[in-house]
Amino acid sequence: MRADLGLSESGLEAVIRGAFELLELIAFFTAGEDKPAQSWHLRKGLTVWHAAGLIHSDIQRGFVRAEVVPWSELVDAGGYAGARDRGTLRTEGRDYVMADGDVITVKFTP
């Protein structure tokens, strides 16, 4: 029915996208080879250090670096090993500004 009306997304998807734009939010993910993926939400312009604080305050306090890869690259590469081989998985410091759709693994000292 949407195709007949020339719509590419549902009303719910449009509302969510609009809300994210109005609130200036991005979505990022945490995932590991032995952990399930989880979505988090962060204000645009904040750093990976702020993202670490959303996950847990202890992770933010002990932040060392983060491995970052866009979700589309991670899926296209077939996982972390493929992303490493392709060079799309990169290491970033605490001043890295998060992008919408980033998948992060935070390295920290407890």
Side-chain angles (χ1 to χ4, degrees):
M1 185 168 127
R2 281 196 306 252
D4 293 340
L5 295 172
L7 301 173
S8 61
E9 63 184 0
S10 72
L12 179 59
E13 290 169 339
V15 167
I16 292 170
R17 186 178 38 76
F20 266 64
E21 288 174 8
L22 284 172
L23 296 171
E24 297 183 353
L25 294 176
I26 63 166
F28 72 94
F29 306 93
T30 54
E33 295 175 8
D34 60 339
K35 295 179 259 177
Q38 183 169 345
S39 175
W40 303 84
H41 307 97
L42 182 71
R43 277 220 183 268
K44 285 182 186 176
L46 292 181
T47 64
V48 71
W49 183 77
H50 293 101
L54 281 177
I55 298 166
H56 198 284
S57 60
D58 289 344
I59 294 174
Q60 186 179 41
R61 261 193 302 277
F63 185 92
V64 175
R65 67 184 181 280
E67 291 182 328
V68 182
V69 62
W71 73 267
S72 57
E73 295 288 336
L74 185 62
V75 171
D76 190 45
Y80 283 99
R84 277 189 196 93
D85 292 343
R86 291 182 178 189
T88 55
L89 181 69
R90 57 192 194 281
T91 302
E92 298 287 353
R94 68 185 296 159
D95 295 330
Y96 169 74
V97 177
M98 295 290 292
D100 191 42
D102 278 347
V103 180
I104 65 170
T105 303
V106 179
K107 306 297 183 181
F108 67 101
T109 56

PDB file of all heavy atoms in Angstrom, residues 5-45:
ATOM      1  N   LEU A   5       1.133   4.553  -2.725  1.00  0.00           N
ATOM      2  CA  LEU A   5       1.033   5.953  -2.337  1.00  0.00           C
ATOM      3  C   LEU A   5       2.339   6.725  -2.559  1.00  0.00           C
ATOM      4  O   LEU A   5       2.400   7.936  -2.337  1.00  0.00           O
ATOM      5  CB  LEU A   5       0.625   6.070  -0.867  1.00  0.00           C
ATOM      6  CG  LEU A   5      -0.772   5.549  -0.514  1.00  0.00           C
ATOM      7  CD1 LEU A   5      -0.968   5.533   0.983  1.00  0.00           C
ATOM      8  CD2 LEU A   5      -1.833   6.392  -1.196  1.00  0.00           C
ATOM      9  N   GLY A   6       3.381   6.011  -2.973  1.00  0.00           N
ATOM     10  CA  GLY A   6       4.669   6.660  -3.210  1.00  0.00           C
ATOM     11  C   GLY A   6       5.457   6.943  -1.951  1.00  0.00           C
ATOM     12  O   GLY A   6       6.318   7.820  -1.931  1.00  0.00           O
ATOM     13  N   LEU A   7       5.181   6.208  -0.870  1.00  0.00           N
ATOM     14  CA  LEU A   7       5.874   6.395   0.404  1.00  0.00           C
ATOM     15  C   LEU A   7       6.949   5.327   0.553  1.00  0.00           C
ATOM     16  O   LEU A   7       6.711   4.158   0.289  1.00  0.00           O
ATOM     17  CB  LEU A   7       4.891   6.313   1.567  1.00  0.00           C
ATOM     18  CG  LEU A   7       3.741   7.328   1.543  1.00  0.00           C
ATOM     19  CD1 LEU A   7       2.764   7.019   2.655  1.00  0.00           C
ATOM     20  CD2 LEU A   7       4.285   8.734   1.670  1.00  0.00           C
ATOM     21  N   SER A   8       8.121   5.745   1.017  1.00  0.00           N
ATOM     22  CA  SER A   8       9.214   4.790   1.171  1.00  0.00           C
ATOM     23  C   SER A   8       9.348   4.260   2.597  1.00  0.00           C
ATOM     24  O   SER A   8      10.034   3.283   2.824  1.00  0.00           O
ATOM     25  CB  SER A   8      10.534   5.426   0.741  1.00  0.00           C
ATOM     26  OG  SER A   8      10.809   6.552   1.554  1.00  0.00           O
ATOM     27  N   GLU A   9       8.713   4.935   3.564  1.00  0.00           N
ATOM     28  CA  GLU A   9       8.818   4.496   4.952  1.00  0.00           C
ATOM     29  C   GLU A   9       7.452   4.591   5.628  1.00  0.00           C
ATOM     30  O   GLU A   9       6.577   5.326   5.180  1.00  0.00           O
ATOM     31  CB  GLU A   9       9.862   5.319   5.710  1.00  0.00           C
ATOM     32  CG  GLU A   9       9.536   6.788   5.832  1.00  0.00           C
ATOM     33  CD  GLU A   9      10.644   7.591   6.497  1.00  0.00           C
ATOM     34  OE1 GLU A   9      11.682   7.024   6.867  1.00  0.00           O
ATOM     35  OE2 GLU A   9      10.465   8.793   6.645  1.00  0.00           O
ATOM     36  N   SER A  10       7.334   3.842   6.726  1.00  0.00           N
ATOM     37  CA  SER A  10       6.077   3.871   7.467  1.00  0.00           C
ATOM     38  C   SER A  10       5.953   5.182   8.242  1.00  0.00           C
ATOM     39  O   SER A  10       6.935   5.917   8.426  1.00  0.00           O
ATOM     40  CB  SER A  10       6.009   2.692   8.438  1.00  0.00           C
ATOM     41  OG  SER A  10       6.901   2.899   9.520  1.00  0.00           O
ATOM     42  N   GLY A  11       4.764   5.459   8.710  1.00  0.00           N
ATOM     43  CA  GLY A  11       4.537   6.651   9.519  1.00  0.00           C
ATOM     44  C   GLY A  11       5.352   6.621  10.797  1.00  0.00           C
ATOM     45  O   GLY A  11       5.896   7.647  11.219  1.00  0.00           O
ATOM     46  N   LEU A  12       5.455   5.455  11.405  1.00  0.00           N
ATOM     47  CA  LEU A  12       6.245   5.320  12.632  1.00  0.00           C
ATOM     48  C   LEU A  12       7.712   5.632  12.362  1.00  0.00           C
ATOM     49  O   LEU A  12       8.352   6.342  13.142  1.00  0.00           O
ATOM     50  CB  LEU A  12       6.090   3.909  13.213  1.00  0.00           C
ATOM     51  CG  LEU A  12       6.878   3.612  14.483  1.00  0.00           C
ATOM     52  CD1 LEU A  12       6.481   4.567  15.606  1.00  0.00           C
ATOM     53  CD2 LEU A  12       6.673   2.172  14.904  1.00  0.00           C
ATOM     54  N   GLU A  13       8.251   5.103  11.269  1.00  0.00           N
ATOM     55  CA  GLU A  13       9.643   5.387  10.929  1.00  0.00           C
ATOM     56  C   GLU A  13       9.861   6.876  10.712  1.00  0.00           C
ATOM     57  O   GLU A  13      10.878   7.438  11.140  1.00  0.00           O
ATOM     58  CB  GLU A  13      10.056   4.611   9.682  1.00  0.00           C
ATOM     59  CG  GLU A  13      10.174   3.123   9.909  1.00  0.00           C
ATOM     60  CD  GLU A  13      10.326   2.331   8.619  1.00  0.00           C
ATOM     61  OE1 GLU A  13       9.946   2.853   7.538  1.00  0.00           O
ATOM     62  OE2 GLU A  13      10.815   1.203   8.693  1.00  0.00           O
ATOM     63  N   ALA A  14       8.918   7.550  10.073  1.00  0.00           N
ATOM     64  CA  ALA A  14       9.029   8.990   9.834  1.00  0.00           C
ATOM     65  C   ALA A  14       8.989   9.772  11.145  1.00  0.00           C
ATOM     66  O   ALA A  14       9.743  10.734  11.325  1.00  0.00           O
ATOM     67  CB  ALA A  14       7.912   9.461   8.903  1.00  0.00           C
ATOM     68  N   VAL A  15       8.131   9.367  12.066  1.00  0.00           N
ATOM     69  CA  VAL A  15       8.039  10.033  13.369  1.00  0.00           C
ATOM     70  C   VAL A  15       9.347   9.859  14.147  1.00  0.00           C
ATOM     71  O   VAL A  15       9.874  10.817  14.718  1.00  0.00           O
ATOM     72  CB  VAL A  15       6.837   9.501  14.184  1.00  0.00           C
ATOM     73  CG1 VAL A  15       6.905   9.948  15.629  1.00  0.00           C
ATOM     74  CG2 VAL A  15       5.535   9.949  13.548  1.00  0.00           C
ATOM     75  N   ILE A  16       9.887   8.655  14.167  1.00  0.00           N
ATOM     76  CA  ILE A  16      11.130   8.393  14.893  1.00  0.00           C
ATOM     77  C   ILE A  16      12.283   9.176  14.277  1.00  0.00           C
ATOM     78  O   ILE A  16      13.066   9.818  14.987  1.00  0.00           O
ATOM     79  CB  ILE A  16      11.434   6.881  14.927  1.00  0.00           C
ATOM     80  CG1 ILE A  16      10.394   6.166  15.793  1.00  0.00           C
ATOM     81  CG2 ILE A  16      12.849   6.617  15.440  1.00  0.00           C
ATOM     82  CD1 ILE A  16      10.438   4.671  15.719  1.00  0.00           C
ATOM     83  N   ARG A  17      12.406   9.155  12.957  1.00  0.00           N
ATOM     84  CA  ARG A  17      13.458   9.904  12.286  1.00  0.00           C
ATOM     85  C   ARG A  17      13.330  11.397  12.590  1.00  0.00           C
ATOM     86  O   ARG A  17      14.308  12.079  12.907  1.00  0.00           O
ATOM     87  CB  ARG A  17      13.426   9.663  10.780  1.00  0.00           C
ATOM     88  CG  ARG A  17      14.585  10.303  10.034  1.00  0.00           C
ATOM     89  CD  ARG A  17      14.560  10.017   8.535  1.00  0.00           C
ATOM     90  NE  ARG A  17      13.250  10.001   7.923  1.00  0.00           N
ATOM     91  CZ  ARG A  17      12.518  11.073   7.624  1.00  0.00           C
ATOM     92  NH1 ARG A  17      12.972  12.273   7.918  1.00  0.00           N
ATOM     93  NH2 ARG A  17      11.338  10.957   7.043  1.00  0.00           N
ATOM     94  N   GLY A  18      12.104  11.915  12.535  1.00  0.00           N
ATOM     95  CA  GLY A  18      11.863  13.319  12.832  1.00  0.00           C
ATOM     96  C   GLY A  18      12.201  13.678  14.264  1.00  0.00           C
ATOM     97  O   GLY A  18      12.772  14.744  14.533  1.00  0.00           O
ATOM     98  N   ALA A  19      11.849  12.804  15.198  1.00  0.00           N
ATOM     99  CA  ALA A  19      12.158  13.045  16.612  1.00  0.00           C
ATOM    100  C   ALA A  19      13.669  13.082  16.832  1.00  0.00           C
ATOM    101  O   ALA A  19      14.174  13.946  17.552  1.00  0.00           O
ATOM    102  CB  ALA A  19      11.522  11.970  17.486  1.00  0.00           C
ATOM    103  N   PHE A  20      14.399  12.160  16.225  1.00  0.00           N
ATOM    104  CA  PHE A  20      15.852  12.149  16.355  1.00  0.00           C
ATOM    105  C   PHE A  20      16.450  13.444  15.809  1.00  0.00           C
ATOM    106  O   PHE A  20      17.372  14.009  16.385  1.00  0.00           O
ATOM    107  CB  PHE A  20      16.456  10.938  15.640  1.00  0.00           C
ATOM    108  CG  PHE A  20      16.682   9.760  16.537  1.00  0.00           C
ATOM    109  CD1 PHE A  20      15.618   9.120  17.147  1.00  0.00           C
ATOM    110  CD2 PHE A  20      17.956   9.293  16.790  1.00  0.00           C
ATOM    111  CE1 PHE A  20      15.817   8.037  17.979  1.00  0.00           C
ATOM    112  CE2 PHE A  20      18.176   8.206  17.622  1.00  0.00           C
ATOM    113  CZ  PHE A  20      17.102   7.581  18.222  1.00  0.00           C
ATOM    114  N   GLU A  21      15.921  13.923  14.673  1.00  0.00           N
ATOM    115  CA  GLU A  21      16.422  15.169  14.091  1.00  0.00           C
ATOM    116  C   GLU A  21      16.109  16.363  14.997  1.00  0.00           C
ATOM    117  O   GLU A  21      16.976  17.199  15.235  1.00  0.00           O
ATOM    118  CB  GLU A  21      15.824  15.388  12.706  1.00  0.00           C
ATOM    119  CG  GLU A  21      16.381  14.439  11.661  1.00  0.00           C
ATOM    120  CD  GLU A  21      15.680  14.554  10.316  1.00  0.00           C
ATOM    121  OE1 GLU A  21      14.854  15.477  10.121  1.00  0.00           O
ATOM    122  OE2 GLU A  21      15.955  13.703   9.459  1.00  0.00           O
ATOM    123  N   LEU A  22      14.882  16.442  15.509  1.00  0.00           N
ATOM    124  CA  LEU A  22      14.510  17.559  16.374  1.00  0.00           C
ATOM    125  C   LEU A  22      15.309  17.573  17.681  1.00  0.00           C
ATOM    126  O   LEU A  22      15.685  18.633  18.173  1.00  0.00           O
ATOM    127  CB  LEU A  22      13.015  17.512  16.697  1.00  0.00           C
ATOM    128  CG  LEU A  22      12.080  17.962  15.587  1.00  0.00           C
ATOM    129  CD1 LEU A  22      10.634  17.669  15.973  1.00  0.00           C
ATOM    130  CD2 LEU A  22      12.258  19.441  15.289  1.00  0.00           C
ATOM    131  N   LEU A  23      15.547  16.402  18.234  1.00  0.00           N
ATOM    132  CA  LEU A  23      16.276  16.289  19.492  1.00  0.00           C
ATOM    133  C   LEU A  23      17.790  16.250  19.303  1.00  0.00           C
ATOM    134  O   LEU A  23      18.535  16.192  20.278  1.00  0.00           O
ATOM    135  CB  LEU A  23      15.817  15.048  20.259  1.00  0.00           C
ATOM    136  CG  LEU A  23      14.357  15.057  20.704  1.00  0.00           C
ATOM    137  CD1 LEU A  23      13.955  13.692  21.260  1.00  0.00           C
ATOM    138  CD2 LEU A  23      14.120  16.156  21.723  1.00  0.00           C
ATOM    139  N   GLU A  24      18.224  16.269  18.037  1.00  0.00           N
ATOM    140  CA  GLU A  24      19.643  16.207  17.691  1.00  0.00           C
ATOM    141  C   GLU A  24      20.315  14.986  18.308  1.00  0.00           C
ATOM    142  O   GLU A  24      21.344  15.088  18.985  1.00  0.00           O
ATOM    143  CB  GLU A  24      20.357  17.496  18.080  1.00  0.00           C
ATOM    144  CG  GLU A  24      19.841  18.699  17.340  1.00  0.00           C
ATOM    145  CD  GLU A  24      20.594  19.980  17.657  1.00  0.00           C
ATOM    146  OE1 GLU A  24      21.446  19.979  18.568  1.00  0.00           O
ATOM    147  OE2 GLU A  24      20.325  20.982  16.984  1.00  0.00           O
ATOM    148  N   LEU A  25      19.728  13.826  18.066  1.00  0.00           N
ATOM    149  CA  LEU A  25      20.256  12.570  18.588  1.00  0.00           C
ATOM    150  C   LEU A  25      20.851  11.728  17.475  1.00  0.00           C
ATOM    151  O   LEU A  25      20.448  11.824  16.314  1.00  0.00           O
ATOM    152  CB  LEU A  25      19.143  11.765  19.267  1.00  0.00           C
ATOM    153  CG  LEU A  25      18.529  12.347  20.523  1.00  0.00           C
ATOM    154  CD1 LEU A  25      17.371  11.467  20.990  1.00  0.00           C
ATOM    155  CD2 LEU A  25      19.561  12.490  21.621  1.00  0.00           C
ATOM    156  N   ILE A  26      21.812  10.892  17.853  1.00  0.00           N
ATOM    157  CA  ILE A  26      22.326   9.861  16.970  1.00  0.00           C
ATOM    158  C   ILE A  26      22.183   8.528  17.692  1.00  0.00           C
ATOM    159  O   ILE A  26      22.040   8.484  18.913  1.00  0.00           O
ATOM    160  CB  ILE A  26      23.801  10.093  16.578  1.00  0.00           C
ATOM    161  CG1 ILE A  26      24.710  10.046  17.817  1.00  0.00           C
ATOM    162  CG2 ILE A  26      23.963  11.389  15.792  1.00  0.00           C
ATOM    163  CD1 ILE A  26      26.183   9.928  17.504  1.00  0.00           C
ATOM    164  N   ALA A  27      22.240   7.463  16.936  1.00  0.00           N
ATOM    165  CA  ALA A  27      22.230   6.121  17.515  1.00  0.00           C
ATOM    166  C   ALA A  27      23.615   5.516  17.312  1.00  0.00           C
ATOM    167  O   ALA A  27      24.231   5.686  16.256  1.00  0.00           O
ATOM    168  CB  ALA A  27      21.178   5.253  16.851  1.00  0.00           C
ATOM    169  N   PHE A  28      24.123   4.848  18.337  1.00  0.00           N
ATOM    170  CA  PHE A  28      25.352   4.082  18.198  1.00  0.00           C
ATOM    171  C   PHE A  28      25.128   2.734  18.866  1.00  0.00           C
ATOM    172  O   PHE A  28      24.129   2.521  19.548  1.00  0.00           O
ATOM    173  CB  PHE A  28      26.562   4.830  18.781  1.00  0.00           C
ATOM    174  CG  PHE A  28      26.612   4.912  20.275  1.00  0.00           C
ATOM    175  CD1 PHE A  28      27.319   3.977  21.018  1.00  0.00           C
ATOM    176  CD2 PHE A  28      25.954   5.929  20.956  1.00  0.00           C
ATOM    177  CE1 PHE A  28      27.369   4.070  22.399  1.00  0.00           C
ATOM    178  CE2 PHE A  28      26.009   6.030  22.329  1.00  0.00           C
ATOM    179  CZ  PHE A  28      26.716   5.092  23.060  1.00  0.00           C
ATOM    180  N   PHE A  29      26.046   1.824  18.623  1.00  0.00           N
ATOM    181  CA  PHE A  29      25.862   0.457  19.080  1.00  0.00           C
ATOM    182  C   PHE A  29      27.102  -0.041  19.804  1.00  0.00           C
ATOM    183  O   PHE A  29      28.210   0.388  19.518  1.00  0.00           O
ATOM    184  CB  PHE A  29      25.591  -0.475  17.889  1.00  0.00           C
ATOM    185  CG  PHE A  29      24.445  -0.020  17.044  1.00  0.00           C
ATOM    186  CD1 PHE A  29      24.655   0.796  15.940  1.00  0.00           C
ATOM    187  CD2 PHE A  29      23.141  -0.373  17.359  1.00  0.00           C
ATOM    188  CE1 PHE A  29      23.605   1.235  15.157  1.00  0.00           C
ATOM    189  CE2 PHE A  29      22.080   0.063  16.588  1.00  0.00           C
ATOM    190  CZ  PHE A  29      22.319   0.870  15.484  1.00  0.00           C
ATOM    191  N   THR A  30      26.866  -0.949  20.732  1.00  0.00           N
ATOM    192  CA  THR A  30      27.943  -1.730  21.330  1.00  0.00           C
ATOM    193  C   THR A  30      27.656  -3.170  20.951  1.00  0.00           C
ATOM    194  O   THR A  30      26.513  -3.614  20.965  1.00  0.00           O
ATOM    195  CB  THR A  30      27.989  -1.587  22.863  1.00  0.00           C
ATOM    196  OG1 THR A  30      26.702  -1.896  23.413  1.00  0.00           O
ATOM    197  CG2 THR A  30      28.393  -0.186  23.270  1.00  0.00           C
ATOM    198  N   ALA A  31      28.706  -3.861  20.568  1.00  0.00           N
ATOM    199  CA  ALA A  31      28.562  -5.265  20.185  1.00  0.00           C
ATOM    200  C   ALA A  31      29.930  -5.913  20.301  1.00  0.00           C
ATOM    201  O   ALA A  31      30.956  -5.268  20.100  1.00  0.00           O
ATOM    202  CB  ALA A  31      28.044  -5.397  18.760  1.00  0.00           C
ATOM    203  N   GLY A  32      29.924  -7.155  20.619  1.00  0.00           N
ATOM    204  CA  GLY A  32      31.165  -7.910  20.690  1.00  0.00           C
ATOM    205  C   GLY A  32      30.937  -9.286  20.125  1.00  0.00           C
ATOM    206  O   GLY A  32      29.798  -9.694  19.874  1.00  0.00           O
ATOM    207  N   GLU A  33      32.019  -9.971  19.913  1.00  0.00           N
ATOM    208  CA  GLU A  33      31.901 -11.306  19.333  1.00  0.00           C
ATOM    209  C   GLU A  33      31.224 -12.267  20.305  1.00  0.00           C
ATOM    210  O   GLU A  33      30.654 -13.259  19.900  1.00  0.00           O
ATOM    211  CB  GLU A  33      33.276 -11.792  18.903  1.00  0.00           C
ATOM    212  CG  GLU A  33      33.818 -10.925  17.766  1.00  0.00           C
ATOM    213  CD  GLU A  33      35.235 -11.258  17.366  1.00  0.00           C
ATOM    214  OE1 GLU A  33      35.780 -12.258  17.858  1.00  0.00           O
ATOM    215  OE2 GLU A  33      35.782 -10.508  16.551  1.00  0.00           O
ATOM    216  N   ASP A  34      31.260 -11.944  21.606  1.00  0.00           N
ATOM    217  CA  ASP A  34      30.614 -12.795  22.599  1.00  0.00           C
ATOM    218  C   ASP A  34      29.476 -12.088  23.325  1.00  0.00           C
ATOM    219  O   ASP A  34      28.949 -12.605  24.293  1.00  0.00           O
ATOM    220  CB  ASP A  34      31.658 -13.298  23.608  1.00  0.00           C
ATOM    221  CG  ASP A  34      32.359 -12.156  24.340  1.00  0.00           C
ATOM    222  OD1 ASP A  34      32.359 -11.025  23.820  1.00  0.00           O
ATOM    223  OD2 ASP A  34      32.910 -12.404  25.428  1.00  0.00           O
ATOM    224  N   LYS A  35      29.093 -10.882  22.836  1.00  0.00           N
ATOM    225  CA  LYS A  35      28.021 -10.115  23.480  1.00  0.00           C
ATOM    226  C   LYS A  35      26.960  -9.740  22.453  1.00  0.00           C
ATOM    227  O   LYS A  35      27.270  -9.507  21.290  1.00  0.00           O
ATOM    228  CB  LYS A  35      28.578  -8.813  24.074  1.00  0.00           C
ATOM    229  CG  LYS A  35      29.563  -9.006  25.189  1.00  0.00           C
ATOM    230  CD  LYS A  35      30.050  -7.673  25.681  1.00  0.00           C
ATOM    231  CE  LYS A  35      31.415  -7.448  25.061  1.00  0.00           C
ATOM    232  NZ  LYS A  35      32.014  -6.182  25.366  1.00  0.00           N
ATOM    233  N   PRO A  36      25.715  -9.652  22.876  1.00  0.00           N
ATOM    234  CA  PRO A  36      24.669  -9.207  21.941  1.00  0.00           C
ATOM    235  C   PRO A  36      24.806  -7.713  21.661  1.00  0.00           C
ATOM    236  O   PRO A  36      25.332  -6.959  22.480  1.00  0.00           O
ATOM    237  CB  PRO A  36      23.366  -9.504  22.690  1.00  0.00           C
ATOM    238  CG  PRO A  36      23.751  -9.500  24.138  1.00  0.00           C
ATOM    239  CD  PRO A  36      25.175 -10.001  24.194  1.00  0.00           C
ATOM    240  N   ALA A  37      24.329  -7.284  20.515  1.00  0.00           N
ATOM    241  CA  ALA A  37      24.367  -5.868  20.143  1.00  0.00           C
ATOM    242  C   ALA A  37      23.332  -5.097  20.958  1.00  0.00           C
ATOM    243  O   ALA A  37      22.270  -5.611  21.284  1.00  0.00           O
ATOM    244  CB  ALA A  37      24.092  -5.708  18.661  1.00  0.00           C
ATOM    245  N   GLN A  38      23.681  -3.849  21.281  1.00  0.00           N
ATOM    246  CA  GLN A  38      22.755  -2.983  21.994  1.00  0.00           C
ATOM    247  C   GLN A  38      22.828  -1.596  21.387  1.00  0.00           C
ATOM    248  O   GLN A  38      23.899  -1.108  21.043  1.00  0.00           O
ATOM    249  CB  GLN A  38      23.106  -2.911  23.481  1.00  0.00           C
ATOM    250  CG  GLN A  38      22.113  -2.067  24.252  1.00  0.00           C
ATOM    251  CD  GLN A  38      22.287  -2.201  25.755  1.00  0.00           C
ATOM    252  OE1 GLN A  38      22.948  -3.096  26.252  1.00  0.00           O
ATOM    253  NE2 GLN A  38      21.685  -1.292  26.477  1.00  0.00           N
ATOM    254  N   SER A  39      21.683  -0.966  21.262  1.00  0.00           N
ATOM    255  CA  SER A  39      21.601   0.382  20.726  1.00  0.00           C
ATOM    256  C   SER A  39      21.581   1.396  21.864  1.00  0.00           C
ATOM    257  O   SER A  39      20.955   1.179  22.889  1.00  0.00           O
ATOM    258  CB  SER A  39      20.324   0.514  19.888  1.00  0.00           C
ATOM    259  OG  SER A  39      20.154   1.839  19.454  1.00  0.00           O
ATOM    260  N   TRP A  40      22.292   2.514  21.639  1.00  0.00           N
ATOM    261  CA  TRP A  40      22.345   3.609  22.600  1.00  0.00           C
ATOM    262  C   TRP A  40      22.059   4.898  21.842  1.00  0.00           C
ATOM    263  O   TRP A  40      22.227   4.953  20.632  1.00  0.00           O
ATOM    264  CB  TRP A  40      23.730   3.706  23.232  1.00  0.00           C
ATOM    265  CG  TRP A  40      24.180   2.456  23.917  1.00  0.00           C
ATOM    266  CD1 TRP A  40      24.768   1.372  23.336  1.00  0.00           C
ATOM    267  CD2 TRP A  40      24.096   2.153  25.299  1.00  0.00           C
ATOM    268  NE1 TRP A  40      25.055   0.420  24.276  1.00  0.00           N
ATOM    269  CE2 TRP A  40      24.653   0.881  25.496  1.00  0.00           C
ATOM    270  CE3 TRP A  40      23.620   2.848  26.402  1.00  0.00           C
ATOM    271  CZ2 TRP A  40      24.746   0.283  26.739  1.00  0.00           C
ATOM    272  CZ3 TRP A  40      23.716   2.250  27.643  1.00  0.00           C
ATOM    273  CH2 TRP A  40      24.267   0.977  27.807  1.00  0.00           C
ATOM    274  N   HIS A  41      21.681   5.939  22.549  1.00  0.00           N
ATOM    275  CA  HIS A  41      21.356   7.219  21.917  1.00  0.00           C
ATOM    276  C   HIS A  41      22.138   8.329  22.590  1.00  0.00           C
ATOM    277  O   HIS A  41      22.244   8.361  23.807  1.00  0.00           O
ATOM    278  CB  HIS A  41      19.852   7.473  21.992  1.00  0.00           C
ATOM    279  CG  HIS A  41      19.089   6.316  21.435  1.00  0.00           C
ATOM    280  ND1 HIS A  41      18.563   5.338  22.246  1.00  0.00           N
ATOM    281  CD2 HIS A  41      18.832   5.946  20.174  1.00  0.00           C
ATOM    282  CE1 HIS A  41      17.982   4.423  21.489  1.00  0.00           C
ATOM    283  NE2 HIS A  41      18.140   4.774  20.227  1.00  0.00           N
ATOM    284  N   LEU A  42      22.675   9.232  21.766  1.00  0.00           N
ATOM    285  CA  LEU A  42      23.588  10.263  22.239  1.00  0.00           C
ATOM    286  C   LEU A  42      23.338  11.541  21.447  1.00  0.00           C
ATOM    287  O   LEU A  42      22.978  11.479  20.269  1.00  0.00           O
ATOM    288  CB  LEU A  42      25.023   9.772  21.991  1.00  0.00           C
ATOM    289  CG  LEU A  42      26.201  10.615  22.426  1.00  0.00           C
ATOM    290  CD1 LEU A  42      26.309  10.622  23.949  1.00  0.00           C
ATOM    291  CD2 LEU A  42      27.483  10.058  21.825  1.00  0.00           C
ATOM    292  N   ARG A  43      23.531  12.679  22.069  1.00  0.00           N
ATOM    293  CA  ARG A  43      23.397  13.958  21.365  1.00  0.00           C
ATOM    294  C   ARG A  43      24.480  14.092  20.300  1.00  0.00           C
ATOM    295  O   ARG A  43      25.619  13.695  20.527  1.00  0.00           O
ATOM    296  CB  ARG A  43      23.542  15.127  22.330  1.00  0.00           C
ATOM    297  CG  ARG A  43      22.295  15.448  23.057  1.00  0.00           C
ATOM    298  CD  ARG A  43      22.183  16.972  23.131  1.00  0.00           C
ATOM    299  NE  ARG A  43      21.035  17.392  23.889  1.00  0.00           N
ATOM    300  CZ  ARG A  43      19.860  17.633  23.336  1.00  0.00           C
ATOM    301  NH1 ARG A  43      19.675  17.467  22.069  1.00  0.00           N
ATOM    302  NH2 ARG A  43      18.861  18.032  24.080  1.00  0.00           N
ATOM    303  N   LYS A  44      24.118  14.652  19.151  1.00  0.00           N
ATOM    304  CA  LYS A  44      25.086  14.909  18.081  1.00  0.00           C
ATOM    305  C   LYS A  44      26.198  15.797  18.617  1.00  0.00           C
ATOM    306  O   LYS A  44      25.959  16.705  19.419  1.00  0.00           O
ATOM    307  CB  LYS A  44      24.421  15.630  16.903  1.00  0.00           C
ATOM    308  CG  LYS A  44      23.561  14.765  16.061  1.00  0.00           C
ATOM    309  CD  LYS A  44      22.988  15.567  14.903  1.00  0.00           C
ATOM    310  CE  LYS A  44      21.995  14.727  14.134  1.00  0.00           C
ATOM    311  NZ  LYS A  44      21.343  15.489  13.067  1.00  0.00           N
ATOM    312  N   GLY A  45      27.421  15.525  18.168  1.00  0.00           N
ATOM    313  CA  GLY A  45      28.555  16.354  18.541  1.00  0.00           C
ATOM    314  C   GLY A  45      29.300  15.907  19.777  1.00  0.00           C
ATOM    315  O   GLY A  45      30.356  16.448  20.086  1.00  0.00           O
TER     316      GLY A  45
END
